Amino acid sequence: MLKRLAPIELGRGVHLHVIKTDKFKTNLIRVYLQRPLEKEEVTKNALLTMVLPRGTERFTTSMAVSKELENLYGASLSSDVSKKGERNIIQFALQLANDKYLEEKGVFEKGLSILNEIIHKPHLQEGKFHTQYVEQEKDNLKERIEGRINDKMSYALDRCIEEMCSDEKFSLYEYGNVEDLKKISAESLYEHYQYIIGTSKVDIFVVGDMDEATVENMVRQHLNFVSGDKLSVEREEILRSPADVKKVEDKMDVSQGKLTLGYRTNLPYESELYHPLVVFSNILGGGPNSKLFRNIREKESLCYYIFSRIEKFKSLMMISSGIEFDKYDKTVELVGKQLEEMKNGGFTTEDIESAKNSIITSMRSMTDTPSMMADFYYTQVVSNNPDSLDEMIDKVRKVTKEAIIASSKQIELDTIYFLRDQKEGR
């Protein structure tokens, strides 16, 4: 049984969402702080999620924090940043055993107190963050930022978006950049922390088999966010018609070319054509039954992998593939042909049903873990969408061929990005 209850306002800009389910033997507390995606703070936000778990007023070291979590039957703490369109999301989560399955009671309440300390009562040194902790985590974050080149497929997707949206906030990497990281001190990071903790919209999700009134009472007692005016995040600009197709090439020591094509769909997620657009993308490049896979990978043997995906909040469609360096022109040509064929209705009822089934299976998998469930419903909150999972599935089922074709009419190629070997010429 899964029941998503109406949000509870704990204060201005602070909301509690209880997702009652008996599917898991654990309870999840997940806290989301919503920030605008800005160059001035994106690196600091990422660093904060690494520094805050290092210690609190009571538990001043990582080891002390870990020991306290171990005492709560191996509770699991995590923190991270993500990007939802041009929103930078700071998140903290604590997953712990449900009291129903324990002889000891009060584990949830103790977990809330620890999470509150992590977020609101950091370990300080002379009125600022502990300098050693900040410097160590700066090194770790630098390694993470520089290490993104190790996953060439993701790196090529990121680079295509950076070039495509070069004058838009969406181009920013959610973990920031090394140059800005160098400028951050323990003092400046603590000042930033004090600013965002009071000005960010807060959504607290609790996923588990617990009574709503009990959850609300405990959260009000133990998780103390300040009520007040919060920073609003503007809706992303999505309507763009590229004058020319931008072509970008990077060279690196790679054995396989990474080709990414970025398209503007010019279709907001609020549109009734959004679900048809998702079906369009799935038919085009959603898996082994897709047009791109069957025709470009299997029939023409031009690529090692190829797929299409929709970037919901920014209304982009990205096509990514791994190819031999000399197959660039032919692959770009055939992707374009497949796209135009689909825009003209060149797909079957079987294609539609296969895509719908694939999408619905993927949507249902969002209830497989408490974390995925919380993130799905938080995405609904951010996009102002009241639909339940079943209601969204029903909308996918009702998508027609005419709507799929209509959803594709404004899709335009914006950027072609190619990552190739530095020794090769073309």
Side-chain angles (χ1 to χ4, degrees):
M1 185 190 78
L2 169 64
K3 189 176 181 185
R4 178 194 178 199
L5 303 171
I8 299 164
E9 187 173 0
L10 302 176
R12 275 188 301 153
V14 183
H15 290 88
L16 170 65
H17 310 259
V18 179
I19 301 171
K20 187 170 172 55
T21 174
D22 56 8
K23 189 173 181 177
F24 313 107
K25 291 188 175 180
T26 59
N27 292 320
L28 173 72
I29 310 154
R30 199 171 187 114
V31 177
Y32 299 89
L33 280 71
Q34 188 180 147
R35 303 295 305 164
L37 189 65
E38 302 276 3
K39 186 178 186 300
E40 292 74 25
E41 65 173 67
V42 64
T43 312
K44 291 177 183 176
N45 292 342
L47 186 57
L48 268 180
T49 66
M50 302 170 76
V51 170
L52 286 173
R54 288 294 302 267
T56 71
E57 285 181 4
R58 280 197 302 156
F59 312 109
T60 58
T61 65
S62 298
M63 189 176 290
V65 172
S66 296
K67 189 175 179 182
E68 190 63 19
L69 294 173
E70 195 58 42
N71 290 338
L72 289 181
Y73 300 87
S76 170
L77 174 73
S78 61
S79 55
D80 205 353
V81 283
S82 62
K83 182 169 76 170
K84 290 186 185 296
E86 291 176 357
R87 293 168 177 83
N88 195 201
I89 311 299
I90 301 170
Q91 52 202 31
F92 301 89
L94 186 66
Q95 190 160 337
L96 61 175
N98 191 320
D99 285 12
K100 288 186 176 184
Y101 304 101
L102 303 171
E103 287 185 19
E104 181 186 344
K105 302 306 173 190
V107 169
F108 183 81
E109 205 163 1
K110 290 175 184 173
L112 277 171
S113 293
I114 291 172
L115 190 57
N116 187 63
E117 283 198 49
I118 293 288
I119 298 170
H120 291 109
K121 298 179 180 179
H123 175 51
L124 301 180
Q125 181 188 61
E126 298 175 354
K128 63 181 188 303
F129 284 127
H130 195 293
T131 302
Q132 185 181 4
Y133 292 175
V134 172
E135 291 306 315
Q136 287 172 345
E137 296 307 331
K138 281 173 68 174
D139 288 341
N140 291 335
L141 182 55
K142 180 174 182 282
E143 195 173 303
R144 180 166 199 163
I145 294 167
E146 292 177 341
R148 69 177 180 145
I149 64 168
N150 296 329
D151 183 341
K152 301 297 190 293
M153 182 182 77
S154 293
Y155 178 74
L157 270 164
D158 284 349
R159 283 285 297 120
C160 185
I161 288 171
E162 284 174 5
E163 294 290 341
M164 185 175 178
C165 305
S166 58
D167 60 344
E168 300 165 81
K169 294 174 184 177
F170 191 64
S171 64
L172 294 170
Y173 181 48
E174 59 260 49
Y175 292 101
N177 65 84
V178 173
E179 286 308 307
D180 288 342
L181 184 61
K182 291 174 185 175
K183 302 169 191 172
I184 300 173
S185 66
E187 292 90 344
S188 65
L189 187 64
Y190 185 60
E191 283 174 16
H192 179 66
Y193 159 78
Q194 289 177 300
Y195 170 64
I196 69 153
I197 210 70
T199 60
S200 304
K201 284 183 182 176
V202 179
D203 288 279
I204 303 162
F205 279 76
V206 174
V207 182
D209 192 7
M210 289 188 71
D211 174 69
E212 181 189 27
T214 303
V215 171
E216 180 185 352
N217 183 47
M218 288 184 182
V219 170
R220 285 188 184 276
Q221 284 186 60
H222 299 289
L223 203 47
N224 314 122
F225 283 93
V226 177
S227 171
D229 295 330
K230 307 295 183 181
L231 207 61
S232 61
V233 181
E234 292 181 8
R235 175 74 169 86
E236 299 84 356
E237 177 198 341
I238 63 156
L239 300 176
R240 284 208 171 194
S241 183
D244 298 295
V245 176
K246 189 187 296 185
K247 295 181 180 179
V248 181
E249 195 173 277
D250 282 344
K251 293 186 177 181
M252 200 179 285
D253 186 13
V254 290
S255 57
Q256 181 189 111
K258 303 296 180 185
L259 175 66
T260 305
L261 292 86
Y263 296 81
R264 304 277 180 175
T265 73
N266 294 298
L267 194 68
Y269 57 72
E270 298 94 339
S271 169
E272 61 183 16
L273 290 176
Y274 174 72
H275 290 299
L277 177 67
V278 173
V279 177
F280 177 93
S281 176
N282 197 283
I283 296 171
L284 180 65
N289 292 320
S290 70
K291 293 276 190 183
L292 295 178
F293 191 93
R294 292 200 310 258
N295 291 296
I296 296 181
R297 185 183 185 278
E298 295 197 329
K299 187 178 176 183
E300 298 289 341
S301 300
L302 285 175
C303 59
Y304 300 98
Y305 68 84
I306 189 162
F307 65 86
S308 168
R309 77 174 198 199
I310 296 294
E311 170 48 57
K312 175 178 179 174
F313 288 96
K314 193 60 180 171
S315 302
L316 308 178
M317 184 174 76
M318 310 301 296
I319 294 176
S320 174
S321 66
I323 63 174
E324 292 292 340
F325 304 119
D326 61 354
K327 300 292 196 296
Y328 171 93
D329 293 315
K330 186 69 172 173
T331 306
V332 169
E333 178 191 347
L334 285 185
V335 168
K337 282 184 178 178
Q338 290 299 314
L339 182 64
E340 287 306 310
E341 185 180 300
M342 277 203 59
K343 282 186 172 186
N344 292 319
F347 53 95
T348 65
T349 302
E350 289 74 22
D351 290 332
I352 297 171
E353 288 309 306
S354 176
K356 286 182 181 180
N357 289 335
S358 172
I359 293 163
I360 289 167
T361 299
S362 177
M363 291 170 77
R364 284 190 172 138
S365 74
M366 293 175 188
T367 66
D368 286 350
T369 69
S371 182
M372 289 169 70
M373 203 178 283
D375 206 49
F376 168 74
Y377 280 114
Y378 180 62
T379 300
Q380 295 295 87
V381 169
V382 171
S383 55
N384 276 326
N385 189 337
D387 290 348
S388 68
L389 186 59
D390 287 340
E391 287 168 332
M392 288 185 70
I393 286 172
D394 189 51
K395 286 182 177 179
V396 171
R397 286 195 195 283
K398 290 177 178 175
V399 166
T400 64
K401 182 169 185 174
E402 291 73 24
I404 295 168
I405 294 168
S407 76
S408 71
K409 290 306 182 184
Q410 295 186 75
I411 295 175
E412 292 184 89
L413 181 59
D414 184 298
T415 300
I416 301 173
Y417 172 84
F418 192 42
L419 177 62
R420 59 182 299 107
D421 188 71
Q422 53 198 5
K423 302 184 187 72
E424 291 288 327
R426 182 175 59 79

